[in-house]
Amino acid sequence: MSKKQNQQKNDWDRSGLPGWTYHSEALFDLEAEELFRRRWQFVCHVNELSKIGSFKTIDRVNERGFVIRDQTGKIRAFHNLCMHRGSRVIGEPEGTCKRAIFCPYHGWSYNFDGTVRGIPNRDTFGDVDFSQMSLKPLDMEIWHGLIFVRFKGSDQKSVSEILARFHDETSLYKIDQMVPVEGSEWLDVLDANWKSVRDVDNEGYHVPQAHPALFDLYGQNYEDEPYVEGTSRSIGTFNVKPSKKWSVRSYRKILEKNNWLKLPKLQSCSWVYMGMFPNFVLGFYPDCVIYYYEYPLSANKTIQQGGVLRHKKETRANRLARYLSGRIDRDTAKEDQMLVVWSSEAVKSSAFSGICLSDLESGVKTYHDHLRELLPVVTMQEEPKEKPLSQVNSSLLK
Ligand code: FES
Ligand SMILES: [Fe+2]
C-alpha cells in the first residue's frame, strides 16, 4: 500500500500476532496440518526433471514426497514411502532412477507410474495382492513450468486459480522455458519461527535501513501491495538517480543496453515479486527469475530455501547481469536472516510487549489476516491451555 493511499486511513490494528504464536509447539502442529500439508508446496521446475526417471524429493513437516518423469515423459508425484515397511523409496534429494525405483531397505521396486514392479522373495508374502500396493500419489499441479504438490486434500483452489491474476505478467518472462541455474539452489537453517521469515519478507519498510544494495537499486520506488486472497505482489522500479555501488551501477548499465525478453518498459527496469500463501515467493528480474520459500522444522527452527532460473540461451551480458543481481540478493538474504532471528528471539524476552506496524508494513498485517481467518486461535492473547489448541481453533472456526 502506498503512503498516499494510507494517509486517508489510519484505523487498523497495528499490533500483529501475539508473541506466543511464535514459539508454541501446539500451534506449530496445527500450522503443519493446515498450512503445510493442506496447501500447495513448490517442488521444482519441470526442466530439472530432464530425463526419464529424473526425480526431485520434497520434505515438509513429517511428510515426504517426490516428483518423477515417467517413461511417457509425464511428471508424476508420490509420497516417498515404501508400501512394505515405510522406508523412503528415494533416499537422494535429486537424481535419476535407471529402470525403476528401488527401495533401499529390502529392494522392493516400483515402476515410474508407482505400480509395484518386483518383490524379492515374493513367495514369502502369502496371498498379498501387490497390485494394491502402488505408491500413494500426491496432488500435483504444474503452473508455468513450476511443479507444486499437496500432501493432503483441502478446499484450497488450484494453483492456476490462485495465481490467475499473475498469469499475464508471468507469461512475459517465459519461465516455463527457463532452466535451473546449476549450483544456485541454497538452503539455510534458521533458529527462528517460520512466521518471522514471512514477517520480514512481507514488508519493504526496512529496505532503506537494512539493505544498502537493494536500496541503491530501487529503494526510492518500492511498493508492497497487500496480501489478497492468498497472493501478494511487490514491485521495486529502479531508482531514477544513478546508483552509488559499482555492482548495482554495472547491473543497471547492462540492463539499459539489453532487453532479452522484450519486456514492457516497467518490467524492463523493475524487480517484481509475487507471493502465494503461505510460503512461496517468485522474484521476476529482467535477467532471471528467482524463487524462495520457508517451512518449519519445529516452532523455533525453520528451513529457508531458494534458487535461480535462467533463460536457456543466455548471452554473456545476461550471465553477467545475473551474476550481479545474485550478488545483491545474497547480501539481502544475509541481512534479512539476521533480522528474522532477532524478531523471533524478541517474543521470548520479558520486555516484549507486542509490535507496532507502520502503514508501510500493511503486507504483514494482511498476511496475518489470512492466518487469523484460517487459524482463529491466533487471535487469542494467551495460548489456550485448558483444552487442546486444535480443539479451541475448531470451535472458533464454527
Ligand atoms: S521398506 Fe521398502 S522394501 Fe522394505
Ligand atoms: Fe528484507
Side-chain angles (χ1 to χ4, degrees), residues 28 32-33 35-44 57-65 88 147-151 187 278-280 292-297 303 305:
F28 161 72
E33 184 66 12
L35 303 179
F36 294 94
R37 290 194 184 99
R38 294 189 187 277
R39 311 267 136 192
W40 293 110
Q41 296 293 306
F42 173 70
V43 190
C44 64
T57 63
I58 169 173
D59 280 36
R60 291 286 184 284
V61 293
N62 294 331
E63 299 288 350
R64 309 177 314 215
R88 283 173 188 262
I147 308 173
F148 296 85
V149 296
R150 200 165 47 186
F151 288 97
L187 182 154
N279 65 334
F280 182 62
Y292 55 91
Y293 48 94
E294 67 286 334
Y295 53 95
L297 296 177
I303 288 191
Q305 218 168 321

Side-chain angles (χ1 to χ4, degrees), residues 200-201 203 206-207 210-211 214 332 336 339:
V200 168
D201 199 57
E203 53 92 356
H206 68 281
V207 170
H211 300 314
L214 214 52
T332 306
D336 273 338
L339 303 172

Side-chain angles (χ1 to χ4, degrees), residues 177-311:
Q177 293 163 36
M178 285 185 159
V179 290
V181 174
E182 216 177 308
S184 71
E185 247 191 304
W186 54 272
L187 182 154
D188 289 316
V189 183
L190 305 181
D191 289 322
N193 182 267
W194 72 273
K195 293 190 290 300
S196 299
V197 181
R198 239 356 45 247
D199 288 354
V200 168
D201 199 57
N202 281 336
E203 53 92 356
Y205 178 42
H206 68 281
V207 170
Q209 179 67 29
H211 300 314
L214 214 52
F215 188 65
D216 202 22
L217 179 67
Y218 60 51
Q220 282 133 16
N221 302 305
Y222 180 80
E223 291 241 338
D224 280 318
E225 294 170 14
Y227 237 96
V228 183
E229 292 180 12
T231 60
S232 67
R233 181 178 176 277
S234 307
I235 181 162
T237 303
F238 303 162
N239 295 337
V240 177
K241 275 204 312 207
S243 298
K244 291 192 195 104
K245 290 178 175 288
W246 76 262
S247 55
V248 182
R249 225 173 27 242
S250 316
Y251 177 62
R252 288 180 57 187
K253 207 181 261 169
I254 298 172
L255 296 185
E256 274 158 26
K257 290 191 195 135
N258 296 279
N259 186 353
W260 303 285
L261 287 171
K262 304 201 173 14
L263 293 170
K265 195 163 182 333
L266 178 69
Q267 283 83 2
S268 72
C269 58
S270 300
W271 283 11
V272 184
Y273 303 91
M274 297 174 192
M276 180 168 79
F277 184 83
N279 65 334
F280 182 62
V281 180
L282 280 167
F284 295 88
Y285 305 168
D287 46 299
C288 64
V289 169
I290 64 147
Y291 58 85
Y292 55 91
Y293 48 94
E294 67 286 334
Y295 53 95
L297 296 177
S298 68
N300 294 302
K301 236 183 222 324
T302 299
I303 288 191
Q304 200 182 12
Q305 218 168 321
V308 184
L309 303 168
R310 66 168 174 85
H311 309 132

